[in-house]
């Protein structure tokens, strides 16, 4: 038994380089000490926190405890650290934690979490997690409001054994506010990208833009303008929220939605803006007076609203700051979004908002392109409809998409009668032998001719009323694959 006082040290040395751990039998063989003595010293080392026990199947496996001096851990980590005893009294707390909580050690040490009522971890949810810790550490997320801003933390509750063998736990809180904000912004951009792709045509896209920007700002005092390229002016299209809009109506004596502002005024006095400045994010401070920028709210309103009413708006809604961003894509301006903030408020998610507005600008550009195409197609159809020459359009799938009035006057058929080429051939050429000849000629000519080339043929056509007419067909393939055909009645 002379070697027993050194047994603890020999056990620790034996475990030091054993990453897979050792059983009591392994340690007995390694140290040359009986199993009973090894077991006794392992109990002492475990209570003192120098070894850890894990049960693997039916075997008890021991490992050296991964210990860091608590004083070093408290001083050099950026995380918030609170050490609790078995009764959840605060034993130690690091300076980072004291600074965030705005408390002193004298306020906290020796008191329980419930007594000190710490904003981050004295909530019922956090206390429930701490109460539930046993042998395994627990990880959970917490959040709390400070100075009107939400802070997010990830809290680890780690079972702890003190040198005297008493049990307790260590709370390690890592601030993850920026990480959470980044994830929220990515989710926001992914969601709105899908929404913009699938946004129904009848949806007011300017109102939609205002609603989504409102999700990322402290207070929903937002407007969205469109840009009228022909008349060179901004047009107020949407105002968020309802209380803000109703207050503006009361002050102005009219609904501000629909107001126009001269775009070209930006490039003259007093603004002297460049195109780059117009489209990029800008901030203008009105209050407090000591931080006031070069432009007043009266200037920002293009001096279109009386100065006294501008001051009344600032007072009514406690506006201290104005931020605006251009709706732009590929050097084209589609409008502007304005955000009003109270003195001291800031726009934290600027990059996410700018990215969303680029997405929205692309959606507006796509809408405008589609609208121009629709109007161009409508004009084309109106011109054909007014023409005295019978005409039709057949799409690439063989469906009639348009018959002008002259076509119906000549043949008597409407789109309901001949929705596809198959119905047309069946009714216009009822004789199957003759119809086969006509279809073969149509297919042969179509295969040989290129886009824009006329394929002139004359066939006998049976009309809706049963009359048969000689018709000269002039079909041509358009660049989009559709067939444009004109018809002329000829002498038999």
């Amino acid at each position: 038994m002379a070697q027993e006082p050194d047994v603890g040290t020999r056990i620790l040395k034996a475990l030091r380089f054993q990453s897979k751990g050792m059983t009591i039998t392994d340690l007995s063989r390694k140290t040359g000490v009986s199993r009973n003595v090894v077991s006794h010293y392992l109990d002492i080392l475990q209570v003192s926190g120098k070894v850890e026990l894990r049960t693997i199947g039916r075997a008890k496996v021991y490992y050296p405890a991964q210990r860091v001096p608590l004083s070093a851990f408290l001083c050099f980590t950026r995380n918030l650290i609170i050490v609790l005893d078995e009764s959840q009294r605060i034993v130690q707390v690091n300076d980072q934690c004291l600074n965030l909580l705005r408390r002193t050690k004298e306020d906290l040490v020796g008191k329980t979490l419930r007594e000190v009522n710490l904003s981050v971890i004295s909530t019922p949810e956090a206390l429930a997690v701490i109460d539930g810790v046993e042998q395994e550490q627990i990880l959970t997320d917490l959040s709390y409001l400070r100075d009107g801003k939400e802070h997010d933390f990830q809290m680890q509750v780690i079972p702890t054994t003190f040198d005297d063998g008493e049990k307790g736990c260590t709370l390690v809180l890592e601030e993850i506010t920026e990480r959470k904000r980044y994830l929220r912004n990515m989710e926001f951009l992914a969601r709105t990208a899908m929404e913009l792709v699938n946004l129904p045509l009848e949806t007011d896209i300017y109102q939609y833009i205002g609603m989504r920007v409102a999700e990322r700002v402290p207070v929903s005092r937002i407007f969205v303008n469109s840009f009228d390229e022909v008349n060179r002016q901004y047009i107020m299209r949407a105002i968020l929220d309802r209380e803000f809009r109703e207050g503006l109506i009361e002050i102005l004596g009219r609904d501000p939605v629909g107001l126009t502002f001269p775009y070209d005024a930006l490039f003259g006095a007093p603004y002297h803006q460049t195109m780059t400045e117009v489209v990029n994010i800008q901030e203008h401070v009105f209050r407090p007076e000591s931080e006031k920028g070069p432009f007043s709210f009266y200037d920002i309103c293009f001096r279109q609203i009386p100065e006294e009413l501008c001051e009344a708006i600032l007072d009514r809604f406690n506006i201290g700051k104005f931020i605006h961003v251009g709706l732009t894509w590929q050097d084209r301006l589609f409008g502007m979004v304005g955000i009003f903030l109270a003195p001291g408020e800031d726009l934290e998610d600027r990059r996410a908002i700018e990215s969303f507005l680029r997405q929205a600008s692309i959606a507006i550009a796509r809408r405008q392109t589609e609208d121009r195409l629709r109007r161009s197609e409508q004009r084309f159809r109106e011109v054909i409809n007014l023409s005295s020459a019978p005409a039709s359009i057949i799409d690439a799938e063989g469906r009639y998409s348009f018959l002008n009035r002259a076509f119906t006057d000549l043949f008597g058929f409407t789109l309901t009668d001949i929705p596809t080429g198959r119905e047309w051939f069946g009714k216009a050429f009822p004789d199957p032998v003759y119809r086969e000849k006509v279809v073969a000629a149509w297919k042969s000519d179509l295969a040989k001719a290129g886009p824009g080339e006329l394929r002139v043929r004359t066939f006998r056509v049976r009309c809706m009323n049963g009359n048969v007419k000689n018709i000269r067909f002039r079909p041509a393939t358009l660049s989009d694959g559709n067939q444009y055909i004109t018809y002329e009645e000829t002498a038999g």
Side-chain angles (χ1 to χ4, degrees):
M1 296 292 291
Q3 76 269 29
E4 286 189 17
D6 196 40
V7 170
T9 302
R10 291 163 62 186
I11 289 174
L12 291 175
K13 285 183 178 179
L15 287 171
R16 185 175 300 166
F17 301 109
Q18 299 297 321
S19 60
K20 295 182 179 179
M22 300 179 74
T23 64
I24 293 175
T25 301
D26 295 334
L27 287 166
S28 176
R29 290 173 183 162
K30 185 75 174 178
T31 60
V33 180
S34 70
R35 283 173 47 86
N36 288 340
V37 173
V38 168
S39 177
H40 171 70
Y41 274 94
L42 282 171
D43 288 341
I44 295 172
L45 291 171
Q46 187 182 354
V47 169
S48 63
K50 294 180 180 179
V51 299
E52 296 175 356
L53 169 63
R54 299 178 194 171
T55 301
I56 302 176
R58 287 165 45 177
K60 293 182 178 180
V61 182
Y62 291 86
Y63 299 82
Q66 303 299 312
R67 305 187 71 193
V68 176
L70 190 56
S71 58
F73 191 48
L74 292 173
C75 293
F76 295 107
T77 180
R78 295 175 59 187
N79 297 333
L80 315 183
I81 309 292
I82 299 176
V83 183
L84 307 175
D85 67 12
E86 197 167 15
S87 302
Q88 292 190 3
R89 287 192 300 267
I90 297 173
V91 177
Q92 293 195 57
V93 56
N94 69 347
D95 291 340
Q96 288 86 336
C97 190
L98 294 173
N99 292 336
L100 180 82
L101 299 175
R102 298 172 182 171
R103 307 287 280 271
T104 65
K105 282 190 177 181
E106 291 73 20
D107 293 334
L108 305 179
V109 173
K111 299 175 183 176
T112 68
L113 291 179
R114 288 173 172 82
E115 289 172 342
V116 295
N117 191 28
L118 300 178
S119 54
V120 187
I121 53 176
S122 292
T123 63
E125 295 80 12
L127 291 172
V129 172
I130 297 168
D131 291 339
V133 70
E134 293 180 358
Q135 293 186 350
E136 297 293 330
Q137 72 180 45
I138 300 175
L139 198 65
T140 190
D141 289 352
L142 304 172
S143 63
Y144 85 108
L145 285 176
R146 176 186 175 189
D147 299 332
K149 296 181 180 179
E150 186 171 311
H151 293 260
D152 296 291
F153 288 87
Q154 189 171 79
M155 180 176 73
Q156 295 182 66
V157 185
I158 306 171
T160 305
T161 302
F162 299 103
D163 288 338
D164 59 4
E166 185 181 344
K167 302 290 185 180
C169 66
T170 301
L171 311 181
V172 181
L173 289 96
E174 177 189 3
E175 184 160 9
I176 56 172
T177 304
E178 290 304 316
R179 190 192 314 168
K180 285 263 191 176
R181 179 179 292 121
Y182 173 80
L183 292 174
R184 283 194 295 267
N185 286 339
M186 291 302 100
E187 185 276 333
F188 168 75
L189 291 173
R191 171 170 55 87
T192 53
M194 291 302 298
E195 289 175 349
L196 286 165
V197 168
N198 299 311
L199 201 65
L201 192 61
E202 63 272 13
T203 300
D204 184 340
I205 193 169
Y206 299 99
Q207 183 74 18
Y208 168 83
I209 291 169
M211 290 170 61
R212 291 296 171 264
V213 172
E215 294 179 14
R216 318 308 302 167
V217 300
V219 180
S220 301
R221 294 187 295 262
I222 299 161
F223 71 80
V224 185
N225 288 343
S226 65
F227 176 59
D228 181 347
E229 202 167 10
V230 175
N231 297 307
R232 308 286 294 175
Q233 63 184 10
Y234 287 116
I235 304 172
M236 187 76 73
R237 299 295 297 268
I239 294 180
L240 278 287
D241 61 4
R242 189 175 68 178
E243 183 180 344
F244 183 44
R245 182 173 179 177
E246 289 175 352
L248 291 175
I249 292 172
E250 183 180 329
I251 293 171
L252 299 175
R254 60 153 293 172
D255 192 340
V257 172
L259 283 175
T260 60
F261 303 94
Y263 168 74
D264 289 327
L266 290 170
F267 304 102
Y271 312 102
H272 300 294
Q273 296 272 290
T274 64
M275 186 59 188
T276 301
E277 290 172 320
V278 169
V279 301
N280 288 337
I281 190 166
Q282 290 191 64
E283 181 176 304
H284 303 280
V285 177
F286 310 127
R287 296 175 178 178
E289 194 69 28
S290 59
E291 300 177 15
K292 189 173 180 181
F295 301 122
S296 67
F297 185 46
Y298 175 57
D299 295 327
I300 296 301
C301 294
F302 295 84
R303 302 184 174 180
Q304 300 292 297
I305 298 174
E307 196 164 3
E308 63 275 12
L309 296 186
C310 290
E311 290 299 313
I313 292 170
L314 295 181
D315 291 337
R316 172 79 170 267
F317 299 103
N318 189 32
I319 295 172
K321 186 184 299 183
F322 172 64
I323 296 172
H324 64 87
V325 192
L327 290 166
T328 61
W329 175 247
Q330 293 185 340
D331 298 325
R332 287 190 61 199
L333 179 65
F334 301 104
M336 178 177 67
V337 174
I339 302 167
F340 296 102
L341 301 173
E345 285 183 340
D346 199 10
L347 196 61
E348 294 184 347
D349 297 325
R350 294 192 182 208
R351 292 183 64 181
I353 291 173
E354 285 186 282
S355 296
F356 164 68
L357 294 180
R358 293 295 174 269
Q359 292 178 348
S361 299
I362 295 170
I364 294 173
R366 186 174 63 248
R367 278 194 168 203
Q368 290 186 355
T369 299
E370 291 171 353
D371 184 60
R372 281 194 292 270
L373 287 173
R374 278 193 300 272
R375 285 188 280 121
S376 176
E377 182 179 352
Q378 183 62 31
R379 283 194 298 269
F380 173 69
R381 288 172 179 262
E382 288 175 358
V383 169
I384 296 176
N385 213 28
L386 293 171
S387 171
S388 59
S392 68
I393 298 175
I394 306 173
D395 67 21
E397 303 299 323
R399 294 185 296 267
Y400 279 91
S401 60
F402 181 75
L403 305 175
N404 70 352
R405 294 193 192 99
F407 179 98
T408 301
D409 293 341
L410 178 63
F411 299 112
F413 297 116
T414 66
L415 274 177
T416 305
D417 303 317
I418 51 170
T420 69
R422 182 181 295 275
E423 279 83 3
W424 159 254
F425 282 117
K427 292 179 179 180
F429 310 104
D431 181 355
V433 176
Y434 188 65
R435 180 169 65 245
E436 186 176 346
K437 176 184 174 182
V438 173
V439 171
W442 169 272
K443 290 181 178 179
S444 174
D445 292 347
L446 183 62
K448 295 175 183 177
E453 293 183 29
L454 290 176
R455 313 185 298 271
V456 182
R457 289 272 189 169
T458 302
F459 299 109
R460 297 189 308 277
V461 176
R462 181 177 179 176
C463 301
M464 185 72 170
N465 61 7
N467 292 339
V468 177
K469 297 179 180 179
N470 283 333
I471 302 296
R472 181 174 289 120
F473 291 72
R474 292 188 179 87
T477 303
L478 303 178
S479 59
D480 60 1
N482 287 349
Q483 301 295 320
Y484 175 63
I485 310 166
T486 59
Y487 309 83
E488 179 187 0
E489 185 177 6
T490 63

